[in-house]
Amino acid sequence: YFYITCNQLITGYQEIFSPSYLFYHLITCKKEDNTIQYSVLVATNSTGGSVSSAGGDYVEGETISISATPKDGYEFVSWNVNGTDTFQNPLSVAVTADLLISATFVEIKKYSLTVNIKGEGSVKKELASTNKSTDYKEGSVITLTPIPVKDESFFDNWSGDLSGNQNPVVITMDSSKSVTATFEYNIFKK
């Protein structure tokens, strides 16, 4: 008896020797499934959001697309793919090795802006960028325009986290701020 094992595609004749005979056997072997698969693990760094896939096993060369969705009060920052940061969202990546993919979310920092009035007048607040609110996202740019009461007062100066008498003035929210707009009665105007 002769046992032949096959782990690669072979089609043709093979000589098999025994002490007294030379045999020719036709051998056809089926190629084993050599499909290469890789594991992809997808995670987030916090409770700040979710991802559209938990990962799984993927065939080599397959492209996967994963979306990161932040929860209210959070924003998506980046993906980390095997130690390399990328900022595209959704993320598309070709699977050519085992992958560890993580999404990073951070809590949106918000700061308050308190505007006090000294004298007769008001201050118009205009958000030059991002959303309107009494709490402003970090980096928001606010334009403050002092509005004196017509024929009664004039804007004199800013104090607190602003100084001078620029009108209008721009303030960037990188912390909570408090400013005072001082208005004087027209009888004091020089």
Side-chain angles (χ1 to χ4, degrees), residues 1-5 16-19 21 23 25:
Y1 294 93
F2 296 98
Y3 296 97
I4 300 171
T5 60
I16 300 175
F17 296 93
S18 73
Y21 298 100
F23 295 96
H25 289 264

Side-chain angles (χ1 to χ4, degrees), residues 27-70:
I27 301 171
T28 302
C29 294
K30 181 180 176 185
K31 183 177 181 181
E32 288 183 13
D33 184 9
N34 288 331
T35 302
I36 298 173
Q37 287 194 332
Y38 293 108
S39 293
V40 176
L41 176 63
V42 181
T44 65
N45 70 329
S46 69
T47 60
S50 61
V51 293
S52 62
S53 172
D57 292 330
Y58 294 89
V59 175
E60 182 178 39
E62 190 173 350
T63 299
I64 59 172
S65 182
I66 308 166
S67 296
T69 305

Side-chain angles (χ1 to χ4, degrees), residues 56-143:
D57 292 330
Y58 294 89
V59 175
E60 182 178 39
E62 190 173 350
T63 299
I64 59 172
S65 182
I66 308 166
S67 296
T69 305
K71 290 183 180 177
D72 286 342
Y74 289 83
E75 64 186 348
F76 169 76
V77 175
S78 66
W79 290 102
N80 184 287
V81 180
N82 285 358
T84 302
D85 289 332
T86 183
F87 305 99
Q88 74 179 50
N89 190 27
L91 172 69
S92 290
V93 62
V95 179
T96 59
D98 289 335
L99 298 176
L100 175 58
I101 301 172
S102 61
T104 302
F105 301 93
V106 295
E107 191 170 3
I108 297 171
K109 294 180 182 177
K110 291 188 177 183
Y111 301 109
S112 62
L113 173 60
T114 303
V115 178
N116 302 302
I117 306 296
K118 187 176 179 182
E120 294 293 321
S122 63
V123 174
K124 177 181 175 185
K125 293 189 278 186
E126 289 184 85
L127 186 59
S129 65
T130 69
N131 61 343
K132 288 194 174 188
S133 173
T134 56
D135 287 333
Y136 298 96
K137 183 177 173 182
E138 182 174 34
S140 295
V141 177
I142 317 304
T143 301

